[in-house]
Amino acid sequence: MKLLKKIKVFYNILSDIFQTRTTNDGVEYIWRRGHSTTLIVIFSSMGIARYNYKKTMKACHSDLLFIRDVWAQHVSYYWYEKQSNHPELLTSSLIDKILQLGTYQSLVTIGSSKGGTAALYFGLKHGAKTIIAGAPQYYVGQYLSDYQYKTVPWQWRAVVGGEPCRLWIDILDHKLPDMISANKGTSTLMYLIYSTNEHTYPEHIVDLVKDLDAACIKHFDRIEDFDDHALIGRAFTRALHELIPVIISD
């Protein structure tokens, strides 16, 4: 079994390498282009720079755009690397380019944890029809400077540089709330997958839901019961299997 698992991992790595395209600015992505009028953009979570939910989305007939977080040691949130916002600019530029090349009629963004934060942010920024986000971090500044800093301080340093400071904690904490505030009453429909039994809920999800309601942004919440944030991937995979056929018509 261990050998089989290693073979599968090696195969997936090779598959990613052969399918990956790279822009002139160094953005790495996989674009599975077909004849769909819907583009689904998938953002990656924490960990090594990988494409999440490739296997889960394999049966989906919509066009897929997987974007790898190649900045700030794969922790940029697609926002910052050493205080530079080039990750956000390049990510938005790629999304705009693919949307124009494909002449799509609708956009869907998905992701869990860090990827969920990105799905919410870029989904609102680019006028997505639907966003599916699993247990996202809402206050990224607090998350990187406090919760994560205790065990992996290099993550904060990769995104901001130096030691935690109030200025950059506030900048990161306001990124997603400000995007929500700027899109009050949007027709974008959100599906949130999370558990009330792990730390993300009281620290992030409670205020996210409250602010979405205040901004009159419609969301459907799928509440799971796992007690470890690392288990969001399993719950999110199950949710995608159920939701994608419902929200995608082509």
Side-chain angles (χ1 to χ4, degrees):
M1 291 298 291
K2 289 184 178 180
L3 178 59
L4 181 59
K5 185 176 181 180
K6 289 181 179 179
I7 292 173
K8 288 182 178 180
V9 170
F10 182 67
Y11 173 81
N12 290 333
I13 293 173
L14 285 179
S15 177
D16 286 352
I17 291 174
F18 286 120
Q19 294 182 65
T20 293
R21 306 184 188 187
T22 305
T23 69
N24 292 333
D25 297 309
V27 184
E28 296 182 9
Y29 66 98
I30 293 175
W31 182 22
R32 196 191 75 181
R33 187 175 187 179
H35 303 285
S36 173
T37 60
T38 299
L39 175 68
I40 303 179
V41 181
I42 303 96
F43 297 93
S44 65
S45 58
M46 290 285 191
I48 61 174
R50 61 182 182 270
Y51 301 109
N52 288 144
Y53 305 111
K54 276 183 63 184
K55 182 178 180 180
T56 304
M57 302 299 292
K58 189 175 182 179
C60 179
H61 297 297
S62 296
D63 287 18
L64 305 177
L65 175 62
F66 298 87
I67 306 178
R68 194 195 299 267
D69 184 359
V70 297
W71 307 279
Q73 299 184 56
H74 322 307
V75 193
S76 77
Y77 281 82
Y78 301 86
W79 288 347
Y80 294 104
E81 181 176 51
K82 294 292 181 67
Q83 299 188 13
S84 170
N85 69 338
H86 65 271
E88 178 178 349
L89 298 178
L90 294 177
T91 299
S92 284
S93 177
L94 176 62
I95 293 172
D96 284 337
K97 178 183 177 181
I98 298 298
L99 285 172
Q100 292 170 6
L101 289 174
T103 61
Y104 297 104
Q105 297 177 13
S106 61
L107 172 67
V108 176
T109 59
I110 70 175
S112 63
S113 194
K114 173 172 70 78
T117 302
L120 289 168
Y121 184 84
F122 289 97
L124 288 171
K125 184 176 182 179
H126 292 271
K129 178 182 178 181
T130 307
I131 298 171
I132 307 177
Q137 286 85 49
Y138 193 44
Y139 299 122
V140 174
Q142 293 180 38
Y143 183 70
L144 292 180
S145 67
D146 184 12
Y147 186 84
Q148 290 291 86
Y149 199 80
K150 297 172 183 176
T151 55
V152 282
W154 61 265
Q155 292 185 352
W156 170 273
R157 294 165 186 157
V159 175
V160 180
E163 302 303 309
C165 63
R166 176 48 53 189
L167 173 63
W168 273 92
I169 291 174
D170 289 344
I171 288 174
L172 293 171
D173 277 352
H174 282 87
K175 284 285 285 188
L176 187 48
D178 285 352
M179 182 60 71
I180 289 173
S181 180
N183 286 273
K184 289 181 179 178
T186 179
S187 60
T188 297
L189 179 61
M190 296 184 182
Y191 291 88
L192 303 178
I193 297 91
Y194 58 85
S195 170
T196 58
N197 299 325
E198 57 102 356
H199 75 94
T200 296
Y201 179 72
E203 295 171 10
H204 301 276
I205 305 300
V206 169
D207 283 353
L208 168 62
V209 170
K210 181 181 68 175
D211 288 354
L212 289 175
D213 290 339
C216 298
I217 297 177
K218 192 172 184 180
H219 60 93
F220 295 99
D221 296 12
R222 175 173 172 142
I223 303 176
E224 302 282 347
D225 61 358
F226 56 87
D227 58 7
D228 184 347
H229 181 72
L231 298 177
I232 179 57
R234 299 178 187 177
F236 196 70
T237 295
R238 292 194 299 269
L240 288 180
H241 281 305
E242 296 178 17
L243 290 174
I244 293 298
V246 174
I247 66 174
I248 304 299
S249 59
D250 60 359

